Amino acid sequence: MPSQGAQDGIAQGVTHEFFQACIEFYNLNTMLGGFGFVVMISVVPLFLILRYAANIKRMDNQMVVDKLKLELENQSKLSKKKSKRRTQVQSPASTTTSG
């Protein structure tokens, strides 16, 4: 496994080469070079924003699923209580009839 210094050197080299390619494109075609530079600068913030949005969506979906499970559990508890009440037969208070 390469050390941190070697990884920094590789990242620095890739960044330098990418920047040099953008400069060469800019010398040949200013629109293409400008677009390449804007893309190079905006990739990292865009990636971070999209990752944050994906995490928020995942957390929101999980919260909705948890609330739905809780609601279903409450509904099943209520239906069990109602079915127990229906099965119990109450005896009348008096068996005599007046007539």
Side-chain angles (χ1 to χ4, degrees):
M1 183 169 163
S3 65
Q4 184 66 26
Q7 289 177 352
D8 289 343
I10 292 170
Q12 184 179 7
V14 169
T15 304
H16 177 71
E17 290 301 320
F18 190 74
F19 186 72
Q20 288 301 320
C22 285
I23 294 296
E24 288 178 22
F25 278 130
Y26 189 75
N27 288 336
L28 297 175
N29 186 345
T30 55
M31 292 299 289
L32 185 60
F35 180 72
F37 186 73
V38 167
V39 168
M40 181 180 75
I41 296 299
S42 65
V43 165
V44 173
L46 182 63
F47 172 74
L48 293 174
I49 290 169
L50 291 176
R51 190 175 72 176
Y52 176 75
N55 282 339
I56 292 296
K57 182 179 177 183
R58 181 188 52 80
M59 290 170 47
D60 186 51
N61 287 344
Q62 186 60 43
M63 187 170 52
V64 167
V65 168
D66 291 341
K67 285 184 178 181
L68 182 62
K69 284 180 182 177
L70 184 63
E71 184 67 28
L72 289 174
E73 288 174 2
N74 288 339
Q75 289 293 331
S76 67
K77 287 179 184 177
L78 287 175
S79 65
K80 286 180 183 178
K81 285 181 182 178
K82 286 182 181 179
S83 65
K84 284 183 181 179
R85 288 180 189 163
R86 289 179 188 159
T87 57
Q88 293 175 351
V89 177
Q90 295 179 352
S91 60
S94 174
T95 56
T96 60
T97 60
S98 61

